[in-house]
Amino acid sequence: MPAGQTDPALETLLLPFADVLLSWPGEGGALFLRAREGWPLHQQALPGLVCAQSFRADALALEQAGFTLVDDEADDGRRYPLVMVLPPRQREESRALFARAIARTAPGGRVLACVENNEGARSAQDDLARIAGAVANLSKNKCRVFWTAPLQGAADPALAAQWATLDAPRQIEGGRFTSRPGVFAWDRIDPASKLLVSHLPADLAGRAADLGAGFGYLTAELLARCPGINTVDLFEAEARALTLARANLAGQQSRAALDFRWHDVTAGVGSGVYDVIVTNPPFHTQGRADRPDIGRRFIAVAAEALKPGGRLWLVANRHLPYEAVLSETFGNVRTVAQSDGFKIVEAIKAMPTRTPSPDTRAAGKAALRRGRY
């Protein structure tokens, strides 16, 4: 994790080893689902640790720290004496992850998990106990870490099999889109995105980017409403969402060139590349507190990525303080609409200021002397 940041759930997850309540596996290694990088992973040797993480920024941090990454949804048949989990907030996704954790545990192995108290720690512990049997627990840092006894499979195999499919992709909006639990606004069209779409002008044209594309809704509507759009690059940090976007836009490949990029927008997306950018930027990370700095960074990245005269169409919660960065980075900014707690903004990148050539300046001075100005 970046210097100065803390991750109490990650720190608490590893307390049973620091307190010698559990021993790190001598052989066979460990699988860490929804893994995050941070100093607690470097306090002791963790031989054989492999990590699974579908969020790009976290996955990249783990790779840069030297950890091996695997796909938690692609079962390679390997079983581990320890499977660690940092469960997500969405309950169906969390239950499915617990079921997968048990399925990836070797006979006699354990599942170990940790959740912050205000993110549903007790409910998560109870969920794991329902399919794994009795669990032990330890509380610290306003978190709860809990772990199973040595397992011989699920204590309730039928329930575990049911839970394993709880976050499976499914159709929404009458079959128009495929989504799944855990993806942003997974079971509906987000009202902010819907409001943005209702104000998109038909004259948007050229090469476009969708920053934080989710399961592809904004791109689908951009292509439907703006015939001049010929290319869309979709940037999405959550691999699970990007896979859905590929499926949802498969029928649009003949309509426009589409490129699906598993990418953290805050790292930048290029300079002077796009004619149009649409975005409903995120303003939360792991916790519930507002993170307007993320949205401000999306706006700054959009300003850099647009060509001069390029247009940003943005939707955000009305209370989020984006006006300063919009004014600083764009030549023309207007609030198109405000409704139901949201605001729609169009921002146009300024054209470069041209410096007159020496010949032009000399001609202008001569004309001034002749009294033409």
Side-chain angles (χ1 to χ4, degrees):
M1 69 189 75
Q5 285 193 14
T6 61
D7 190 334
L10 177 61
E11 181 180 352
T12 309
L13 179 73
L14 296 173
L15 276 181
F17 305 108
D19 292 351
V20 201
L21 298 173
L22 295 175
S23 299
W24 190 260
E27 295 182 1
L31 174 64
F32 188 1
L33 302 177
R34 297 293 192 273
R36 298 195 292 266
E37 158 62 356
W39 64 262
L41 293 180
H42 305 276
Q43 292 296 102
Q44 66 180 78
L46 304 176
L49 177 64
V50 296
C51 301
Q53 175 56 258
S54 58
F55 190 73
R56 181 56 179 158
D58 290 334
L60 186 59
L62 288 161
E63 288 178 344
Q64 291 173 341
F67 293 104
T68 299
L69 265 72
V70 297
D71 183 351
D72 73 307
E73 295 189 305
D75 188 348
D76 60 3
R78 183 177 174 183
R79 299 294 177 262
Y80 298 84
L82 175 67
V83 178
M84 302 191 297
V85 188
L86 289 175
R89 184 190 305 168
Q90 210 284 334
R91 196 164 192 185
E92 290 175 285
E93 183 189 7
S94 175
R95 285 177 164 178
L97 196 63
F98 281 144
R100 284 200 293 275
I102 292 173
R104 301 297 298 274
T105 303
R110 300 178 189 266
V111 173
L112 170 73
C114 184
V115 179
E116 294 189 38
N117 292 341
N118 62 4
E119 297 291 331
R122 183 54 190 262
S123 295
Q125 177 181 314
D126 291 345
D127 280 347
L128 180 59
R130 286 183 64 185
I131 58 172
V135 298
N137 72 82
L138 175 67
S139 293
K140 194 172 183 180
N141 304 318
K142 298 182 179 180
C143 299
R144 182 184 295 245
V145 56
F146 43 97
W147 59 94
T148 68
L151 296 174
Q152 300 295 329
D156 188 334
L159 186 60
Q162 177 187 334
W163 282 11
T165 63
L166 284 179
D167 70 339
R170 66 202 68 178
Q171 292 187 335
I172 64 169
E173 295 295 309
R176 185 182 178 200
F177 296 101
T178 299
S179 186
R180 65 187 301 187
V183 172
F184 171 69
W186 77 270
D187 58 349
R188 66 196 186 283
I189 301 302
D190 171 61
S193 296
K194 186 179 292 187
L195 182 65
L196 174 59
V197 161
S198 71
H199 287 87
L200 289 178
D203 66 345
L204 296 176
R207 184 174 181 181
D210 183 348
L211 305 187
F215 60 71
Y217 169 71
L218 284 183
T219 292
E221 292 289 356
L222 184 68
L223 293 174
R225 294 165 183 263
C226 306
I229 296 293
N230 55 45
T231 302
V232 184
D233 295 337
L234 293 88
F235 294 89
E236 173 53 49
E238 177 52 61
R240 290 154 52 91
L242 196 64
T243 298
L244 295 167
R246 288 180 184 275
N248 289 326
L249 294 165
Q252 299 287 346
Q253 296 284 1
S254 60
R255 159 69 180 82
L258 303 178
D259 192 9
F260 300 86
R261 305 187 184 186
W262 185 39
H263 184 80
D264 175 15
V265 169
T266 64
V269 299
S271 179
V273 177
Y274 298 105
D275 302 291
V276 175
I277 290 178
V278 294
T279 186
N280 178 3
F283 58 97
H284 296 289
T285 51
Q286 298 294 331
R288 299 177 185 271
D290 283 0
R291 285 284 308 276
D293 57 301
I294 301 174
R296 288 194 291 264
R297 179 58 184 155
F298 267 56
I299 292 167
V301 167
E304 180 182 55
L306 283 166
K307 300 174 183 177
R311 301 157 73 181
L312 168 68
W313 280 80
L314 163 82
V315 63
N317 286 42
R318 184 184 289 179
H319 73 278
L320 292 172
Y322 293 159
E323 283 68 23
V325 67
L326 284 163
S327 298
E328 291 168 3
T329 54
F330 285 91
N332 185 9
V333 179
R334 69 185 181 102
T335 299
V336 177
Q338 297 190 63
S339 178
D340 299 324
F342 304 113
K343 55 190 173 187
I344 307 298
V345 176
E346 181 192 32
I348 302 175
K349 186 170 181 177
M351 301 296 290
T353 302
R354 292 187 178 183
T355 303
S357 68
D359 290 344
T360 302
R361 288 197 298 267
K365 290 178 181 179
L368 183 61
R369 287 195 296 271
R370 291 195 296 271
R372 294 186 181 179
Y373 295 134

